[in-house]
Amino acid sequence: MTLAGISAASAQSAPSPVPQFTAPKVDIFKELRVISGVTVSGNGDLTFVGSDAKIHRTDAKGSEKWAFPVGDIGRAYPVVTPQGVTIAASYDDTVYALDPSGKLLWKQKLDGDIFATPALRIDGSVIVATAGGTIHALNAAGKPLWTYKVGAPVFSSPAIGPDGTIYFGAQNNRMHALTPDGQLKWTYTAGSLVFSSPAVGPDGSVYFGSSDRRIHAVVPDGKPRWTLLTGLFVNASPIITSGGLVVVGSYDGSVYAVNTSGETEWTYRAGAGIAGSAVELSDGSVLVPDLSGTVHAIGKAGQALWQIKTGKKIDTGLSVSDQGSLYFVTDGGGLNIVQKQRPLAVGPWTTFHGAPNPVGRVPTPVELQAQTQARREAASAVLAALKPSTTATTAPAQPARPTQPSQPTQPAQPTQPAQPSQPAQPAPTTQPTQPAQPAQPSQPAPVPALTPAQYAAAAGQKARVADGQLFLPLTEVAGALRLDVGNVTVRTATVRVQGQALPITVRTFDRAAFVPLAALSDLPGASARLTRTPAPGVTLSLGGQTALFPVNLTRLLSLQSGPEFASGTVR
């Protein structure tokens, strides 16, 4: 039976899960002839390779900024460096590096077609795998550093562990581990071909799928940890959720969530084969595409939340920006954009290759902290802007844990409707004297409306609100709390607390540095509370020092972290 036949058979035989909520709509659809995966930069720009054999850069809504012609099409996701350089590959055996304006910086011809997404190392060097069976290390200028001959084609995208170890699967049925300088550490033999790209946990454990129908877990020294049998081959690349679950779909039409001990936490029946990677959003829900053209949203217990049905095959993974837009490509190269969703969950591998821009390595603690801040801001903005999801229906309760992993049962459905994944927007206060509307149960009560005298007392203060977050002036905060601040840039600063030099995010308003209240609240020993009368303000305490910062707003979002971003926790 062909792959298409297997997919069709799975779709016909599997029951359709019952969604709990009405699905969001595709806000923008553009026929852009996308053929690769879609890479999302930090500013929301999109980069991809098209069927016109060009590397494209668009804005967040798909409007083109530039295009660069290459020698052939390509399926690998492009990678964008922190400096804005695009690293992309195509079937012309060549890796290209383009500057932020789309001009060629360098190109390097290799020994075979490049199907796998390159991996970007911290020093700017790039690891590239080819169908010619070679792993290439190129420096930031595109010059060869070393090569490793695998002896079999490589379609699995290389991944880099926290210690710099390079992992990849190959068509010799093996997962390989190389040292940072290209020496073989070990190989692990699966029962069949390895197309799946590995996901790497914070402890260096490696998770991947194989055509042997199994999900494999391997510890850092190359010894097997566990395997889980599915109904058909597993070519999709796993993710690792912020809660530590390995989640991956199989061509048997099911999505498996497995804990680090190898026990199945839940199995979700999509009903059609799955080739693309999942993503985890900041509220813990998981989104997965299938080959029938449906995007499934799955709750923490494996229950169906909603589905977007396009009717067109989706065989690449999903992409989510830190601004909360969902991107996926349907058969024929159509770009689908669903706006006002939550951002990714924070973790080492919550999407394909570890990040919206698939750099392919475990992030450093500083990078995780930056992800936390960016996604907290995005999640807060979404909570402020979205209307509640509409309950669609409720299914009878079912056991959440399947008795046979290879024969998954219908996912659990609670007897009462679950809380919507997108909380309600507080009603705006248009008149100062009118009392505030009551908040939804999932959010604390907003600040009451101010009288004209209270508003005048709060006016002129320096606090700012942007993207759903409250920002305080860095200079005043440092002075009031006696913080030692250094290395201030337009994006970051360093503060010394309890003898530790800690990075925090900053934002520039009117040429002055401001720091998000959420970042201050995450500092060791810090606390913040909202004072509502006689005028709203923030009381911030740290190390025995207390400071009050008035706020000139009639309403505020909650000063508490959202449920998906517990204060002080980076997972």
Side-chain angles (χ1 to χ4, degrees):
M1 184 179 287
T2 65
L3 300 188
I6 292 172
S7 176
S10 298
Q12 293 172 1
S13 62
S16 299
V18 180
Q20 293 183 352
F21 303 107
T22 301
K25 302 297 184 183
V26 173
D27 297 297
I28 300 173
F29 175 82
K30 290 192 174 183
E31 293 282 4
L32 297 184
R33 297 191 293 171
V34 183
I35 196 167
S36 71
V38 174
T39 292
V40 186
S41 301
N43 65 353
D45 282 356
L46 311 178
T47 309
F48 57 86
V49 180
S51 60
D52 57 357
K54 292 180 180 179
I55 303 167
H56 294 265
R57 171 71 59 85
T58 76
D59 66 13
K61 296 183 178 180
S63 296
E64 187 155 278
K65 291 187 170 184
W66 52 257
F68 182 88
V70 294
D72 204 341
I73 61 174
R75 289 276 287 176
Y77 286 69
V79 174
V80 181
T81 73
Q83 294 74 35
V85 174
T86 297
I87 309 293
S90 78
Y91 295 167
D92 64 355
D93 306 355
T94 302
V95 182
Y96 297 85
L98 310 176
D99 74 9
S101 66
K103 295 180 180 179
L104 181 68
L105 293 174
W106 55 262
K107 62 180 181 179
Q108 183 64 246
K109 185 85 169 180
L110 303 179
D111 67 324
D113 291 347
I114 303 168
F115 292 84
T117 298
L120 180 68
R121 296 199 283 189
I122 294 175
D123 64 359
S125 61
V126 183
I127 305 298
V128 187
T130 72
T134 305
I135 305 299
H136 298 261
L138 308 176
N139 69 15
K143 302 300 182 182
L145 294 173
W146 50 260
T147 60
Y148 175 82
K149 290 291 185 180
V150 181
V154 180
F155 303 115
S156 168
S157 300
I160 300 171
D163 62 352
T165 299
I166 301 160
Y167 303 98
F168 60 92
Q171 300 302 285
N172 58 6
N173 302 354
R174 295 176 181 173
M175 177 61 58
H176 300 70
L178 304 182
T179 64
D181 60 354
Q183 303 300 309
L184 181 66
K185 291 179 68 173
W186 51 258
T187 62
Y188 167 91
T189 303
S192 188
L193 306 176
V194 181
F195 290 92
S196 175
S197 300
V200 185
D203 65 348
S205 294
V206 180
Y207 307 92
F208 64 97
S210 170
S211 297
D212 66 2
R213 302 185 297 159
R214 293 180 183 273
I215 304 166
H216 295 263
V218 182
V219 294
D221 64 0
K223 293 182 174 60
R225 188 170 187 176
W226 50 259
T227 64
L228 178 73
L229 182 65
T230 74
L232 279 174
F233 37 85
V234 184
N235 289 353
S237 302
I239 66 169
I240 304 171
T241 71
S242 56
L245 296 181
V246 179
V247 177
V248 64
S250 167
Y251 265 83
D252 68 4
S254 292
V255 183
Y256 297 87
V258 190
N259 64 29
T260 55
S261 299
E263 299 169 330
T264 303
E265 294 288 333
W266 52 259
T267 302
Y268 174 93
R269 291 289 291 170
I274 297 166
S277 297
V279 296
E280 183 197 10
L281 301 187
S282 61
D283 64 348
S285 60
V286 171
L287 309 186
V288 184
D290 71 28
L291 291 173
S292 75
T294 300
V295 177
H296 302 262
I298 308 170
K300 292 182 179 180
Q303 75 274 28
L305 298 179
W306 51 257
Q307 300 163 358
I308 298 175
K309 297 183 178 182
T310 69
K312 296 181 179 181
K313 180 176 70 174
I314 306 173
D315 61 1
T316 56
L318 308 175
S319 300
V320 179
S321 72
D322 279 345
Q323 293 76 27
S325 290
L326 167 66
Y327 301 93
F328 59 92
V329 178
T330 46
D331 194 32
L335 177 66
N336 298 258
I337 306 175
V338 183
Q339 298 175 318
K340 297 181 180 178
Q341 300 302 297
R342 280 181 162 86
L344 286 175
V346 174
W349 223 270
T350 55
T351 183
F352 169 74
H353 240 206
N357 171 21
V359 294
R361 58 178 169 81
V362 174
T364 65
V366 172
E367 289 170 329
L368 273 178
Q369 179 65 36
Q371 288 179 11
T372 301
Q373 185 58 40
R375 294 171 192 173
R376 178 185 284 121
E377 292 177 2
S380 295
V382 168
L383 292 175
L386 286 182
K387 295 180 179 179
S389 300
T390 302
T391 301
T393 186
T394 304
Q398 299 289 340
R401 186 187 299 267
T403 56
Q404 296 291 334
S406 60
Q407 303 263 334
T409 58
Q410 178 74 13
Q413 302 290 345
T415 56
Q416 296 297 327
Q419 291 297 319
S421 63
Q422 299 169 348
Q425 176 185 12
T429 303
T430 56
Q431 298 295 331
T433 56
Q434 183 165 345
Q437 297 295 324
Q440 294 297 321
S442 59
Q443 300 185 28
V447 176
L450 299 180
T451 66
Q454 291 172 336
Y455 189 89
Q461 301 298 329
K462 294 183 178 180
R464 298 286 189 275
V465 168
D467 300 325
Q469 287 285 296
L470 181 66
F471 291 77
L472 300 177
L474 180 59
T475 301
E476 282 83 347
V477 168
L481 300 181
R482 300 181 182 178
L483 292 176
D484 182 13
V485 178
N487 301 323
V488 180
T489 71
V490 295
R491 295 182 180 274
T492 61
T494 300
V495 297
R496 184 166 293 278
V497 179
Q498 298 178 359
Q500 302 179 68
L502 303 174
I504 58 171
T505 301
V506 299
R507 183 87 170 262
T508 302
F509 298 101
D510 301 327
R511 300 182 180 180
F514 284 67
V515 59
L517 179 65
L520 293 171
S521 299
D522 281 346
L523 294 176
S527 65
R529 64 184 179 88
L530 176 64
T531 303
R532 302 188 178 191
T533 57
V538 176
T539 300
L540 189 65
S541 300
L542 177 63
Q545 304 296 320
T546 301
L548 174 64
F549 295 87
V551 180
N552 64 342
L553 296 173
T554 57
R555 295 178 69 87
L556 291 176
L557 296 176
S558 168
L559 296 180
Q560 299 179 4
S561 300
E564 57 263 47
F565 291 117
S567 179
T569 300
V570 180
R571 293 178 293 184

